[in-house]
Amino acid sequence: ALNAYTNKAICLVHEEVSARYYGCGLVIPAALRGMRILDLGSGSGRDCFALSKLVGESGEIVGVDMTTEQIELARQYIEYHTTKFSYSQPNISFVQAYIEDL
């Protein structure tokens, strides 16, 4: 089970992003502030956006997915979450690529 702080961050993710979440699990360490995280198979970005909140403005999240539609959706909501989290600039980006080619 996820802790309350993590659940709160997931609840802040835009509804359309969460609706397109097809993840198979989420493992989040206890101390994330300022961390850099790579999410392979990021899909719509739900976990990335929640992690964006948890790492704080000084952290960085990069999501990688092969699916054009999912990457386009995730990129569409970068500014939304940057504003929602009161960050002066985005701490998240999404890259379209095949994981095996990285």
Side-chain angles (χ1 to χ4, degrees):
L2 299 174
N3 64 42
Y5 185 66
T6 302
N7 278 331
K8 183 177 178 184
I10 290 172
C11 288
L12 293 173
V13 175
H14 192 280
E15 165 182 308
E16 184 175 6
V17 173
S18 291
R20 297 255 193 104
Y21 174 71
Y22 307 114
C24 57
L26 176 61
V27 177
I28 297 179
L32 290 176
R33 185 75 45 198
M35 300 295 290
R36 298 176 72 205
I37 297 174
L38 174 64
D39 181 6
L40 300 174
S42 60
S44 66
R46 187 204 76 160
D47 293 348
C48 290
F49 290 120
L51 288 164
S52 169
K53 174 66 173 167
L54 296 172
V55 299
E57 194 167 8
S58 65
E60 180 183 4
I61 307 296
V62 176
V64 178
D65 201 271
M66 67 179 193
T67 312
T68 302
E69 295 81 8
Q70 294 285 61
I71 289 293
E72 287 175 355
L73 177 72
R75 287 177 177 160
Q76 180 181 334
Y77 286 98
I78 291 173
E79 190 59 39
Y80 170 87
H81 290 94
T82 300
T83 301
K84 186 167 190 82
F85 302 155
S86 299
Y87 294 167
S88 61
Q89 61 185 10
N91 69 345
I92 190 166
S93 61
F94 293 95
V95 176
Q96 183 176 1
Y98 288 94
I99 295 169
E100 58 269 23
D101 292 339
L102 297 178

